[in-house]
Amino acid sequence: MLLILSYLSKLRKMWPITLQWGLLLGVVAASARQNILQVPNSYQSYDHGLFKPAEDLSILSETEFTTLSHPAFPRYGVRIKKSTFCDETVKSYTGYIDIEARHLFFYFFESRNDPDKDDVIFWTNGGPGCSSSLGLFMELGPCRVLDANGTKFHPESWNSNANIFFVDQPIGVGFSYAEYGETVGTTEEAAKDIASFVSIFFEHFTKFKGRAFHMAGESYGGRYIPVFASEVYDQNARLVEAGLTPINLASIMIGNGITDFFSMIPSYFDMACTPVSVPPILDISTCVRMKQALPRCQKWMKESCVDQFDSMSCGAAMSFCDAEIGAPFFNSKKNPYDISKDCEGEISDTLCYPVTKHISSYLDRPSVRKLLGVSDSLNTTKFTSCSNNVGRDFAFNMDEFHPTQYHVAALLERGIKALIYVGRNDWICNHVGNEKWTSQLEWSGGAAFSTQALREWNVGGKKAGMTRSANGLTFATIDGAGHMVPYDKPKESLELINRWLSGQELTLQWSCVLGIITTSAQQTFLELPSRHNSFDQCPFNPIEDLSVLSETEFTTLGHPAFPSYGVRIKKSSFCDATVKSYTGYIDIEARHLFFYFFESRSDPDKDDVIFWINGGPGCSSSMGLFMELGPCRILDANGTKFHPESWNSNANIFFLDQPVGVGFSYADYGESVSTTEQASKDIAAFVAIFFEHFSKFKGRAFHMAGESYAGRYLPVFAADIYDQNARLVEAGLTPVNLTSIMIGNGLTDFFTMMASYFEMACTPMAVAPILDINTCVRMKQALPRCKAWTQSFCIDQFDSMMCDAAMGFCSSEMWDPVFASGINPYDISQECDGGVDDTLCYPAIEHISNYLDRSSVRKALGVSDTLNSTKFSACSKEVEHAFFSGMDQYHPTSNHVAALLERKVKVLIFVGKNDWVCNYLGNERWTMDLDWSGGEEFSGKPLREWSVDGKKAGMTRSAQGLTFAIIEGSGHMVPYDKPEESLEMVNRWLSGKEL
């Protein structure tokens, strides 16, 4: 990517569609199926006397090239010589890869440690068109050229523990050349040459055969390396067929790469206009214009470059994005490779780093060229760090608009590890864009990777950056570094590579003292000790009794099994003086989730534990606490009032504000959670930490309950807790006794629910029809189309764009008429009291918010001071928008429910009959259709009446652990509308009785 800026002004004149960051577009000229390896017939291999390897590099001359070839690669040869320069402590070599009339120059340095055993690294710089001499003499090589005095020994070279290549590629870069003007214009063409060279080298120098081989690069290396590595991997099958030794491709390492151009473009706004690395560097008016242009840029790119590649339209789209998103940054004169600095010199002259000119001057010395064996045909050619001609050829072929994240996924699926490391201060190939594509990568380990929190990694006891790792994929940021991490942070980059080569996690190994451990590929947040040690043998002392907690200060809890998590908790005597109550935060690095905990009114030392969340997504569980099932209620401006039908009558109970941004939960630096799966990891870790610390609750029956969007949340949360139990046992910890989930008026299957809206509004299924005939006729006519579209685009095959369009249609035809009617969508037997957006049709919500804005209340609860200037909001629009933008609601969790039932976790689905938005018809339908071993028995049972104190409460159906219950006279919030019935229902459920 370094080249991109140097020929920018020329390209903009020649090609109207060129991007500011220097990328045009490309046709792949070489067939991806082209076979450059010539395979012998089945009766003969190359080991049968046709080929004798050179075997030992020590036989090479210092003055003349030795020419290597191989019958398997008749078009390829390698010229190589000793070249003692740069670092006299190791053997070094230079030479050419000869592809007929094309010749690629390379440097090779043996390891300073153990060249006969250490791994082999292949390095290429980016551009496209930049010489790997930049990597050698400026970043990670055995010597550096930092001024006019020539080379200087580099103690943090990557050859400290590895043998390493630096290759000038493709043709026309650095000292590489073509005899008759031949060129390479695509990454795929270049890959064939690299794969052949690698095979020839390993075949000749047998002491390196079978060594772990790592392909590394930076910048446009994010496009190169995945394709090069894929070619090497695929070539292995042909090597084996030819009787040759396959390459032991172990990993790829990409530094500040441009792997997915389309993920990178939107991140340019974040890097320039938000404090994701440094304070915003562009003025407000410019940032506003960029923000307004961004949606059009993304939409146009997606339509013309991603969904269907149209070279002319894609070029036009990228030209627009260039002008609106890229150009403002370049006009600022900041260094695009390190936004913490100004550009030093002209970009086209120095790439903002004057050292590049010293490198060019050094490589123009005749004595140096002679020592390296540079071709005489280049005697009259000045060395240039980056070739404008090569960059233009790649740009003309639109090469950069072919993302290679699918190659990365394919390599991961084949056991090839991938390290994506990024200096935080780079703009052009930044950490935001790289984290985005790695988190969204589709592969079998994707869920484990994307749901893991970023964790701090350290060098010498100091923070080096943040990292996330799972199943062979590691993403790492390096604080204080720009585009060229080894240049800016040599010690940290060497430590990063050494840990990677040795197979260690960046966070190093677990210790009892620190509570840090290598992350297992089988989990995302629970850290296991070795099989010979358990956490019970480590310095972890649980708090046996909650009574030791302070009323004025938080007690902080941690556990070595969960190094990224902590819990702050304090006594908070409020709401119900008859029981002990507590509040606090779950701390997940820079994210903090607020909770309330009330002991049981009956027998807190024996009663079950209930975990409660409200829905939204984005609504605070203070609604459940103060309006529905908590020990006190706030129904007017007078504050709290004792609630006799609280669910803590016979259970200990949590209320949790989740995810981050909801209620009193907050993030230090604006971090957010936008999927249920992300939120779930935090919940599971918190639950385990709580039970480990407060041992009197260990082994208690644990029930997860909630309403509304909790129909999406709870099945996923419970599944994570269940799956986590196996890892707890392996770690010598006590598993959580997950007994049941209880979902009230839940949105478990969005698509089944959508179809029920007509029946609830236009037929007397709960109350008399609430909409006029004309509206109902229109809804009835739209319903088949709504069902067909959602089935085709959301269920049979999920197409995010088409599914969103289908749901937009369904919403306008099935949803909007009810909200326009003035009826309370949460209880269609009533008018909406106040606006839906303002009070959710329940004025009590305003009273709750006012109560929680009292400074005395916040102090008693221990609410963070960072929220002092923030008004309490029952529901967060920002969180709701984040979840809906990610289409979280379009992922039904009925399959999670089935899986829990199969594992003997009971399920209660209870529904107020008068609710419209998450109604009983939709909930009954999905429970009847649920595919599980008890499904036939459950669906074959009729609904039966259930009663409280001799009066009908509703109807119910139950079989093999699944219970469905209707509560008559109730709307969306059953404990609010029918407190006596809801408490009786829960008490029967906890005691194991049928309703």
Side-chain angles (χ1 to χ4, degrees):
M1 210 63 178
L2 284 167
L3 160 68
I4 284 165
L5 310 174
S6 64
Y7 61 95
L8 175 64
S9 60
K10 298 178 185 177
L11 282 178
R12 290 186 66 81
K13 293 176 182 177
M14 295 176 62
W15 302 102
I17 63 171
T18 305
L19 301 184
Q20 183 84 20
W21 37 88
L23 305 170
L24 269 166
L25 294 184
V27 178
V28 178
S31 166
R33 306 298 299 172
Q34 176 186 355
N35 192 341
I36 53 176
L37 175 63
Q38 306 298 312
V39 181
N41 64 51
S42 59
Y43 303 104
Q44 186 178 26
S45 78
Y46 292 117
D47 291 339
H48 287 95
L50 294 177
F51 166 69
K52 290 186 177 180
E55 293 195 355
D56 190 357
L57 287 163
S58 65
I59 66 173
L60 300 179
S61 167
E62 292 206 51
T63 58
E64 304 214 349
F65 281 124
T66 297
T67 301
L68 313 177
S69 62
H70 198 287
F73 302 90
R75 296 174 52 237
Y76 293 79
V78 176
R79 288 175 287 153
I80 188 169
K81 65 182 288 293
K82 288 181 183 175
S83 298
T84 305
F85 78 109
C86 188
D87 177 6
E88 295 185 355
T89 69
V90 299
K91 295 176 181 177
S92 55
Y93 311 87
T94 54
Y96 280 99
I97 309 165
D98 298 318
I99 312 107
E100 295 175 335
R102 294 178 287 127
H103 312 280
L104 299 180
F105 189 77
F106 68 88
Y107 309 80
F108 179 61
F109 298 89
E110 291 194 356
S111 171
R112 288 173 177 165
N113 177 43
D114 189 346
D116 292 333
K117 293 182 180 178
D118 287 343
D119 296 0
V120 179
I121 296 175
F122 167 99
W123 173 272
T124 182
N125 277 70
C130 288
S131 167
S132 290
S133 64
L134 290 169
L136 165 55
F137 295 115
M138 185 178 172
E139 302 184 69
L140 59 136
C143 63
R144 284 184 164 185
V145 178
L146 300 180
D147 53 36
N149 296 322
T151 63
K152 181 180 179 182
F153 182 83
H154 182 211
E156 289 92 8
S157 172
W158 285 16
N159 79 322
S160 297
N161 290 285
N163 305 282
I164 187 165
F165 281 105
F166 297 87
V167 180
D168 279 348
Q169 66 80 38
I171 297 299
V173 171
F175 289 136
S176 297
Y177 67 100
E179 293 173 18
Y180 308 112
E182 298 89 344
T183 61
V184 168
T186 71
T187 297
E188 283 71 16
E189 284 181 291
K192 306 297 178 183
D193 297 341
I194 300 303
S196 297
F197 163 70
V198 168
S199 293
I200 292 173
F201 178 86
F202 280 106
E203 279 298 313
H204 268 283
F205 301 107
T206 54
K207 79 172 186 177
F208 294 106
K209 271 192 177 182
R211 299 277 186 93
F213 182 57
H214 310 266
M215 304 196 77
E218 73 186 11
S219 195
Y220 205 78
R223 165 86 170 110
Y224 288 149
I225 293 295
V227 178
F228 291 2
S230 297
E231 187 64 34
V232 169
Y233 184 93
D234 288 343
Q235 178 181 259
N236 273 343
R238 301 191 292 272
L239 290 173
V240 171
E241 186 180 350
L244 307 179
T245 303
I247 308 302
N248 182 14
L249 180 63
S251 81
I252 60 173
M253 303 182 285
I254 301 172
N256 289 75
I258 188 77
T259 302
D260 181 0
F261 193 80
F262 308 108
S263 292
M264 196 61 67
I265 296 289
S267 69
Y268 291 147
F269 168 82
D270 299 297
M271 291 297 297
C273 294
T274 73
V276 292
S277 288
V278 299
I281 58 178
L282 298 182
D283 62 79
I284 292 175
S285 61
T286 300
C287 287
V288 168
R289 181 181 173 96
M290 288 175 70
K291 183 72 170 177
Q292 291 170 333
L294 193 55
R296 186 186 301 179
C297 169
Q298 290 178 286
K299 182 175 184 292
W300 201 352
M301 279 197 307
K302 191 172 189 304
E303 290 174 351
S304 303
C305 309
V306 181
D307 292 341
Q308 183 174 348
F309 190 82
D310 181 318
S311 59
M312 182 176 291
S313 296
C314 181
M318 297 312 296
S319 182
F320 169 79
C321 296
D322 164 35
E324 297 295 333
I325 311 298
F329 179 88
F330 288 108
N331 293 336
S332 73
K333 303 301 181 183
K334 299 295 287 187
N335 183 341
Y337 309 113
D338 188 338
I339 58 176
S340 68
K341 303 173 181 177
D342 290 326
C343 185
E344 196 170 348
E346 291 296 321
I347 290 178
S348 58
D349 186 34
T350 67
L351 299 174
C352 298
Y353 295 89
V355 65
T356 59
K357 298 193 77 174
H358 296 309
I359 293 171
S360 296
S361 297
Y362 173 75
L363 293 174
D364 274 337
R365 296 180 187 178
S367 60
V368 171
R369 291 196 175 196
K370 182 178 180 180
L371 177 65
L372 299 178
V374 176
S375 173
D376 291 342
S377 65
L378 299 177
N379 283 348
T380 61
T381 304
K382 282 282 193 182
F383 183 86
T384 178
S385 297
C386 296
S387 166
N388 288 345
N389 293 332
V390 171
R392 187 162 46 241
D393 288 342
F394 272 67
F396 182 75
N397 286 323
M398 299 182 167
D399 186 76
E400 71 279 9
F401 296 146
H402 297 277
T404 52
Q405 71 267 33
Y406 298 125
H407 292 75
V408 175
L411 289 164
L412 287 166
E413 300 290 17
R414 288 156 176 81
I416 311 303
K417 297 194 301 175
L419 169 63
I420 310 299
Y421 65 93
V422 198
R424 271 184 73 90
N425 293 342
D426 184 22
W427 177 82
I428 202 153
C429 299
N430 58 67
H431 72 96
V432 175
N434 273 291
E435 183 180 7
K436 187 177 297 180
W437 78 256
T438 56
S439 295
Q440 295 174 349
L441 190 64
E442 294 181 6
W443 63 295
S444 60
F449 179 85
S450 63
T451 54
Q452 205 182 84
L454 285 170
R455 295 187 298 159
E456 186 175 301
W457 70 282
N458 298 276
V459 175
K462 296 180 180 179
K463 180 186 176 186
M466 303 296 289
T467 185
R468 172 186 291 122
S469 184
N471 295 350
L473 174 60
T474 294
F475 170 80
T477 61
I478 297 87
D479 291 347
H483 190 73
M484 294 173 283
V485 171
Y487 174 75
D488 292 319
K489 292 289 181 178
K491 291 182 180 178
E492 289 81 354
S493 78
L494 177 58
E495 183 63 24
L496 174 142
I497 293 304
N498 284 344
R499 291 182 195 175
W500 181 255
L501 297 180
S502 65
Q504 293 180 335
E505 287 286 329
L506 296 190
T507 48
L508 291 180
Q509 296 297 321
W510 180 84
S511 73
C512 293
V513 176
L514 297 176
I516 297 173
I517 181 178
T518 299
T519 304
S520 165
Q522 295 301 311
Q523 77 272 349
T524 57
F525 49 85
L526 174 62
E527 311 295 2
L528 303 181
S530 74
R531 68 182 66 182
H532 305 295
N533 190 19
S534 78
F535 290 118
D536 292 339
Q537 297 171 301
C538 297
F540 166 66
N541 296 312
I543 299 173
E544 303 285 347
D545 189 357
L546 286 162
S547 65
V548 304
L549 299 178
S550 166
E551 290 206 50
T552 57
E553 304 215 349
F554 281 124
T555 297
T556 300
L557 314 178
H559 198 287
F562 302 88
S564 297
Y565 294 80
V567 177
R568 289 174 285 156
I569 188 169
K570 65 182 288 291
K571 287 180 182 175
S572 298
S573 301
F574 76 108
C575 188
D576 177 5
T578 69
V579 299
K580 295 176 181 176
S581 55
Y582 312 87
T583 55
Y585 281 98
I586 309 166
D587 298 317
I588 312 107
E589 295 174 337
R591 294 178 286 127
H592 314 280
L593 300 180
F594 187 78
F595 67 89
Y596 309 80
F597 179 61
F598 298 88
E599 291 194 358
S600 172
R601 289 173 177 165
S602 175
D603 190 346
D605 292 333
K606 293 182 180 179
D607 287 342
D608 295 0
V609 179
I610 296 175
F611 168 99
W612 174 272
I613 51 171
N614 278 70
C619 290
S620 167
S621 291
S622 62
M623 295 168 63
L625 165 55
F626 294 115
M627 188 176 170
E628 302 186 68
L629 59 137
C632 62
R633 282 185 165 185
I634 299 172
L635 301 179
D636 54 36
N638 296 320
T640 63
K641 182 179 179 182
F642 182 84
H643 182 211
E645 290 90 9
S646 172
W647 285 17
N648 80 321
S649 297
N650 291 285
N652 305 282
I653 187 165
F654 281 104
F655 297 88
L656 180 67
D657 280 348
Q658 69 80 43
V660 169
V662 172
F664 289 135
S665 297
Y666 69 100
D668 294 335
Y669 309 113
E671 297 89 344
S672 62
V673 169
S674 59
T675 73
T676 296
E677 284 70 19
Q678 286 176 306
S680 182
K681 304 301 177 187
D682 297 342
I683 303 304
F686 164 69
V687 169
I689 291 172
F690 177 85
F691 281 109
E692 278 297 313
H693 268 283
F694 301 107
S695 55
K696 80 172 187 176
F697 294 105
K698 273 190 178 183
R700 299 277 186 93
F702 181 61
H703 310 267
M704 304 198 76
E707 72 187 10
S708 194
Y709 203 78
R712 166 85 170 108
Y713 289 147
L714 284 178
V716 178
F717 292 2
D720 260 338
I721 287 175
Y722 184 94
D723 289 342
Q724 177 182 260
N725 274 342
R727 301 190 293 272
L728 290 173
V729 171
E730 186 182 346
L733 307 179
T734 304
V736 176
N737 183 14
L738 179 63
T739 303
S740 80
I741 61 173
M742 302 182 283
I743 301 173
N745 289 75
L747 190 65
T748 303
D749 185 342
F750 189 88
F751 307 111
T752 301
M753 193 63 66
M754 183 65 77
S756 68
Y757 289 151
F758 167 79
E759 295 164 276
M760 289 297 296
C762 294
T763 71
M765 298 303 295
V767 299
I770 60 174
L771 298 181
D772 62 79
I773 292 174
N774 287 335
T775 301
C776 286
V777 168
R778 181 182 175 94
M779 288 177 71
K780 182 72 171 178
Q781 292 171 333
L783 188 56
R785 183 183 300 178
C786 172
K787 288 182 178 179
W789 280 8
T790 55
Q791 183 71 37
S792 296
F793 302 125
C794 306
I795 300 173
D796 294 341
Q797 183 175 347
F798 190 81
D799 180 320
S800 60
M801 182 180 289
M802 295 302 292
C803 179
D804 201 42
M807 295 311 297
F809 168 79
C810 294
S811 176
S812 66
E813 297 294 334
M814 314 301 292
W815 180 282
D816 291 355
V818 172
F819 277 83
S821 70
I823 294 291
N824 183 343
Y826 306 109
D827 187 340
I828 57 175
S829 68
Q830 302 176 25
E831 298 287 327
C832 184
D833 192 356
V836 174
D837 291 336
D838 188 27
T839 67
L840 297 175
C841 299
Y842 295 89
I845 288 174
E846 286 194 348
H847 299 308
I848 293 170
S849 296
N850 292 336
Y851 174 78
L852 293 174
D853 275 335
R854 297 180 186 177
S855 57
S856 59
V857 171
R858 291 195 174 196
K859 183 176 180 180
L861 298 179
V863 175
S864 172
D865 291 341
T866 62
L867 300 176
N868 284 348
S869 61
T870 304
K871 284 282 192 180
F872 183 86
S873 176
C875 295
S876 166
K877 291 293 183 185
E878 289 78 12
V879 171
E880 179 189 65
H881 177 72
F883 270 68
F884 286 171
S885 293
M887 300 185 175
D888 187 77
Q889 73 275 24
Y890 298 156
H891 298 277
T893 50
S894 50
N895 289 331
H896 291 76
V897 173
L900 290 164
L901 286 166
E902 301 290 16
R903 289 157 178 80
K904 306 306 179 186
V905 179
K906 298 194 301 175
V907 177
L908 170 62
I909 308 298
F910 64 95
V911 198
K913 191 169 183 178
N914 294 342
D915 182 23
W916 176 83
V917 76
C918 297
N919 58 68
Y920 80 95
L921 289 177
N923 274 292
E924 182 180 13
R925 194 165 287 152
W926 77 256
T927 58
M928 294 287 282
D929 293 340
L930 193 63
D931 185 10
W932 64 296
S933 60
E936 186 175 351
E937 180 182 346
F938 178 84
S939 61
K941 285 195 172 185
L943 284 169
R944 294 184 301 157
E945 183 177 303
W946 70 284
S947 303
V948 175
D949 293 334
K951 296 180 181 179
K952 180 183 177 183
M955 303 295 290
T956 185
R957 173 186 291 116
S958 184
Q960 298 190 31
L962 175 60
T963 294
F964 171 77
I966 300 169
I967 298 87
E968 295 193 355
S970 175
H972 190 72
M973 294 176 281
V974 172
Y976 174 76
D977 291 321
K978 292 291 181 178
E980 293 181 8
E981 290 82 352
S982 78
L983 178 58
E984 182 62 24
M985 175 189 72
V986 168
N987 284 344
R988 292 181 193 176
W989 182 257
L990 297 181
S991 65
K993 297 177 182 178
E994 289 286 327
L995 295 190

